């Protein structure tokens, strides 16, 4: 026996499709889905194929009319770029969903799966899924085309320094890499006394000049040459040249100041040692530890030259050394260095060990020198100084020897150096044979001077085993805390994987 618990629920009746007669739930079109799709195609007018342009050099896609953007494969940016290609034809339908369909990495094909809706006859809403296929064509963008041409440039920055040593250029190279100012260059060319930076616009070259003037003591001048002139539109086409001259003083140079400049620096001694070159020239008086900074404007008003070149450095051995108290400041004297220690030393040339000839000198390196140490310096007692200011000095006021830096075993330093630097990609011409020696001098300066290291990106060299940083007997070393990891990224949002796919 069956019992009714309530009134019977009403049921919806079916109707027959007006085309094929299949029972279906009622709808405004009175047709089944199959017949409705056969009668109406809501994707009509939407292109099922498209074209994308991809630059292999910079790994960017063309966004019409002339913009190149970086997109990773199957990213939202690339999806938006593909949809913009068919945006006009999608205006008559409602886009419900869009996504990528996986394709072979080297097929140069991108497939997009779209779901759209549209109201058809008698108010019925039809939903349909279809695939749009994009063919990826290789096309070099204008920026890469100019870079490949290497001769298409609108402005050049010529950086020069009239010295025999390239320490300042090695330091400048690291600053450019750190601040990524080399990315807009079309070409970098290295010649014997400087670098040339080529740019596609005058504004980019001017930005480089401004950076150089804030980074190293220098002066600049500009000129331009008319290439063409359109008399109808009154458009002029120029090529601009910026000439930047860096102060010809490098680290570890011995200089002789003019009497007027020495007085203006706090009655400083005329013979000084350059301990560092940053945005200014840092000088120290080895007899009093008095320091001074000379900017570019001051230098060009009172120019001076280096008395020696680096190849004239001689090796001395410390026979006896004694730290002395700092001399009492004279009236109007400038600031003194707290990082150096004043000392008096007796030294002998390592080439004259079979003689009893010794030299007496004052030095600013008393904090690192001990009897028996080897030190590099310049011999002023047995040389001819060809300098307009040095020739007028009292011979008794010229020291016999000026000590520059402590000498270490270079082979041992290279073997223990567990860090490295990056270099600019440039065209090299007229390379000297002692460039490697000069580069090693620069690396040693980084190890010895913490102030310069702060402006340089130093990367750990994974090929060299890590040793303890507590070795006080050896040469100065860079701690692991100051090093960066040299990352090698294979896949990221810049389209690296996409470049492999399109190749």
């Amino acid at each position: 026996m069956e019992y009714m618990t309530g009134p019977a629920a009403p049921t919806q009746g079916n109707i027959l499709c007006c085309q094929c007669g299949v029972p279906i739930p009622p709808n405004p079109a009175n047709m089944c889905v199959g017949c409705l799709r056969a009668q109406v195609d809501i994707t009509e007018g939407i292109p099922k194929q498209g074209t994308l342009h991809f630059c292999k050099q910079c790994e960017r896609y063309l966004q019409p009319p002339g913009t190149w953007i970086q997109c990773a494969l199957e990213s939202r940016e690339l999806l938006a770029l593909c949809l913009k290609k068919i945006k006009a034809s999608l205006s008559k339908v409602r886009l419900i969903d869009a996504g990528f369909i996986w394709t072979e990495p080297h097929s140069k094909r991108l497939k997009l799966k779209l779901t759209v809706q549209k109201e058809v006859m008698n108010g019925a809403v039809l939903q349909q899924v279809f695939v749009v296929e994009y063919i990826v064509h290789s096309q070099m963008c204008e920026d890469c085309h100019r870079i490949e041409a290497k001769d298409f440039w609108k402005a050049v920055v010529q950086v020069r320094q009239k010295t025999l040593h390239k320490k300042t250029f090695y330091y400048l190279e690291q600053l450019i890499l750190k601040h990524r100012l080399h990315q807009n260059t079309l070409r970098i060319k290295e010649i014997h006394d400087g670098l040339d930076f080529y740019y596609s616009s005058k504004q980019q070259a001017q930005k480089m000049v401004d950076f150089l003037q804030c980074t190293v003591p220098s002066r600049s001048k500009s000129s331009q040459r008319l290439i063409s002139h359109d008399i109808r539109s009154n458009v002029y086409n120029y090529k601009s040249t910026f000439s930047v001259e860096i102060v010809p003083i490098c680290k570890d140079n011995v200089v002789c100041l003019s009497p007027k400049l020495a007085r203006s620096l706090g009655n400083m001694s005329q013979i000084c040692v350059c301990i560092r070159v940053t945005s200014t020239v840092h000088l120290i008086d080895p007899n009093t530890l008095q320091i001074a900074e000379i900017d570019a404007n001051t230098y060009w008003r009172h120019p001076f030259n280096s008395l020696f070149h680096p190849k004239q450095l001689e090796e001395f051995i410390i026979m006896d050394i004694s730290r002395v108290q700092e001399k009492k400041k004279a009236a109007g004297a400038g600031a003194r260095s707290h990082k150096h220690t004043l000392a008096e030393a007796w030294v002998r040339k390592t080439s004259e060990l079979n003689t009893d000839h010794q030299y007496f000198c004052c030095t600013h390196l008393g904090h690192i020198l001990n009897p028996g140490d080897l030190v590099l310096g310049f011999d002023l007692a047995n040389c001819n100084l060809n300098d307009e200011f040095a020739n007028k000095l009292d011979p008794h006021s010229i020291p016999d020897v000026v000590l520059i830096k402590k000498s270490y075993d270079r082979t041992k330093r290279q073997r223990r150096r567990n860090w490295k630097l990056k270099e600019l990609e440039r065209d090299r011409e007229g390379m000297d044979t002692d460039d490697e020696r000069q580069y090693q001098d620069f690396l040693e300066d980084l190890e010895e001077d913490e102030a310069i290291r702060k402006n340089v990106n130093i990367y750990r060299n994974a090929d060299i085993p890590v040793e303890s940083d507590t070795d006080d007997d050896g040469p100065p070393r860079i701690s692991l805390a100051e090093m960066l990891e040299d990352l090698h990224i294979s896949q990221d949002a810049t389209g690296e994987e996409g470049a492999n796919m399109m190749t």
Side-chain angles (χ1 to χ4, degrees):
M1 182 178 296
E2 297 181 0
Y3 296 93
M4 299 291 294
T5 58
T11 57
Q12 184 180 11
N14 290 336
I15 64 172
L16 299 180
C17 174
C18 65
Q19 292 288 334
C20 62
V22 175
I24 59 171
N27 61 63
N30 295 329
M31 287 187 189
C32 64
V33 176
C35 295
L36 191 58
R37 287 179 177 172
Q39 295 287 329
V40 181
D41 183 11
I42 64 174
T43 65
E44 186 179 1
I46 302 177
K48 304 303 185 297
Q49 283 190 340
T51 302
L52 290 176
H53 296 280
F54 178 77
C55 179
K56 294 181 180 179
Q57 275 71 16
C58 61
E59 301 167 1
R60 295 186 298 176
Y61 291 90
L62 174 62
Q63 179 176 318
T67 306
W68 291 83
I69 60 175
Q70 285 186 330
C71 303
L73 283 178
E74 299 188 2
S75 63
R76 297 179 60 183
E77 293 79 9
L78 185 57
L79 180 62
L81 178 61
C82 295
L83 291 177
K84 285 182 180 179
K85 291 278 187 177
I86 55 175
K87 181 179 179 181
S89 56
L90 288 176
S91 59
K92 298 180 180 179
V93 297
R94 179 186 300 172
L95 182 62
I96 302 300
D97 187 25
F100 285 100
I101 301 177
W102 186 84
T103 54
E104 283 289 337
H106 301 284
S107 63
K108 292 189 178 181
R109 298 290 189 274
L110 293 176
K111 292 185 178 181
L112 206 62
K113 181 180 179 182
L114 303 179
T115 304
V116 296
Q117 285 183 352
K118 184 179 180 181
E119 184 177 339
V120 292
M121 57 183 65
N122 299 326
V125 178
L126 183 61
Q127 179 172 310
Q128 193 168 342
V129 179
F130 65 103
V131 176
V132 179
E133 182 180 1
Y134 291 92
I135 302 175
V136 180
H137 288 293
S138 297
Q139 177 179 330
M140 187 178 293
C141 64
E142 294 182 0
D143 295 337
C144 294
H145 192 276
R146 292 171 180 173
I147 293 174
E148 289 297 320
K150 292 186 178 181
D151 292 327
F152 184 86
W153 54 273
K154 291 292 185 66
V156 60
V157 179
Q158 299 174 339
V159 187
R160 300 290 183 268
Q161 186 183 31
K162 298 177 181 178
T163 58
L164 296 178
H165 206 289
K166 297 182 180 181
K167 286 184 178 181
T168 306
F169 278 105
Y170 291 134
Y171 173 67
L172 184 61
E173 176 186 16
Q174 297 304 316
L175 292 179
I176 293 174
L177 286 169
K178 181 174 183 178
H179 297 279
R180 307 175 68 88
L181 287 178
H182 62 290
Q183 291 185 331
N184 295 327
T185 56
L186 300 178
R187 179 190 182 194
I188 301 177
K189 181 180 179 182
E190 179 180 352
I191 57 177
H192 66 282
D193 60 348
L195 293 171
D196 290 345
F197 298 87
Y198 294 88
Y199 293 91
S200 59
S201 67
K202 183 179 179 181
Q203 290 76 14
Q204 294 175 346
Q206 184 64 55
K207 183 179 179 181
M208 183 65 172
V209 173
D210 296 340
F211 172 78
L212 293 174
Q213 291 181 337
C214 297
T215 304
V216 290
S218 59
R219 63 180 177 181
S220 65
K221 60 182 180 180
S222 61
S223 62
Q224 57 184 11
R225 179 165 57 97
L226 181 64
I227 302 302
S228 62
H229 174 213
D230 189 348
I231 58 176
R232 294 178 176 80
S233 59
N234 201 27
V235 174
Y236 292 83
N237 183 20
Y238 291 100
K239 278 192 174 182
S240 302
T241 300
F242 295 88
S243 177
V244 179
E245 183 181 0
I246 302 177
V247 169
I249 303 297
C250 291
K251 184 180 183 297
D252 299 335
N253 283 163
V254 177
V255 299
C256 185
L257 309 178
S258 65
K260 184 177 180 180
L261 178 58
R263 287 193 300 268
S264 66
L265 296 176
N267 294 324
M268 199 172 183
S269 175
Q270 287 186 244
I271 294 184
C272 302
V273 178
C274 176
I275 57 175
R276 189 181 303 116
V277 176
T278 55
S279 57
T280 57
V281 178
H282 299 253
L283 301 178
I284 189 170
D285 182 359
N287 296 312
T288 62
L289 297 187
Q290 186 173 337
I291 56 176
E293 295 184 14
I294 300 178
D295 59 10
N297 294 331
T298 304
Y299 177 84
W300 297 118
R301 286 199 304 267
H302 308 282
F304 53 87
N305 298 314
S306 174
L307 299 181
F308 301 92
H309 56 79
K311 291 183 179 181
Q312 292 176 292
L313 276 172
E314 297 188 64
E315 191 175 56
F316 296 84
I317 184 171
I318 303 293
M319 306 304 297
D320 187 24
I321 187 169
S322 59
R323 279 74 175 175
V324 298
Q325 297 292 331
E326 293 184 7
K327 300 177 182 179
K328 187 178 180 180
K329 280 188 178 182
R336 292 182 177 178
S337 173
H338 299 290
K339 296 182 179 180
H340 300 83
T341 302
L342 187 63
E344 294 178 346
W346 287 93
V347 299
R348 181 184 296 178
K349 289 185 181 180
T350 55
S351 59
E352 299 177 353
L353 291 179
N354 56 345
T355 66
D356 295 333
H357 191 190
Q358 295 186 12
Y359 302 89
F360 175 78
C361 64
C362 291
T363 178
H364 59 290
L365 303 176
H367 58 295
I368 59 175
L369 294 181
N370 296 296
D373 287 344
L374 297 178
V375 61
L376 298 177
F378 293 108
D379 181 8
L380 278 73
N382 301 313
C383 69
N384 294 323
L385 296 178
N386 186 15
D387 185 83
E388 58 173 328
F389 302 128
N391 293 336
K392 298 178 183 178
L393 285 176
D394 183 5
H396 298 287
S397 63
I398 300 178
D400 292 339
V401 172
V402 176
L403 302 182
I404 300 300
K405 60 182 179 179
K406 188 175 180 180
S407 178
Y408 300 96
D409 185 2
R410 171 164 287 185
T411 304
K412 182 178 179 181
R413 298 184 74 166
Q414 292 181 2
R415 185 173 62 251
R416 299 177 60 185
R417 187 172 291 141
N418 59 344
W419 55 274
K420 59 184 178 179
L421 301 175
K422 292 186 176 181
E423 296 184 9
L424 288 174
E425 294 183 2
R426 55 190 183 270
D427 300 334
R428 300 175 183 266
E429 294 183 6
M431 295 293 293
D432 296 330
T433 55
D434 62 342
D435 280 353
E436 179 61 28
R437 179 187 62 82
Q438 296 183 17
Y439 187 67
Q440 292 299 325
D441 289 342
F442 171 69
L443 297 182
E444 293 173 1
D445 291 342
L446 286 180
E447 293 174 336
E448 298 169 4
D449 194 342
E450 183 181 357
I452 296 181
R453 288 203 302 268
K454 293 179 180 179
N455 301 326
V456 176
N457 284 342
I458 299 173
Y459 298 91
R460 190 170 71 88
N461 189 356
D463 299 333
I464 307 297
V466 178
E467 299 181 11
S468 174
D469 295 334
T470 59
D471 186 6
D472 297 331
D473 298 332
R477 301 177 63 192
I478 299 178
S479 63
L480 288 174
E482 300 178 79
M483 302 181 193
L484 303 174
E485 289 290 342
D486 190 10
L487 299 179
H488 298 280
I489 302 175
S490 59
Q491 293 185 9
D492 56 10
T494 60
E496 181 72 21
E497 184 182 359
N500 295 332
M501 167 189 167
M502 301 307 167
T503 303

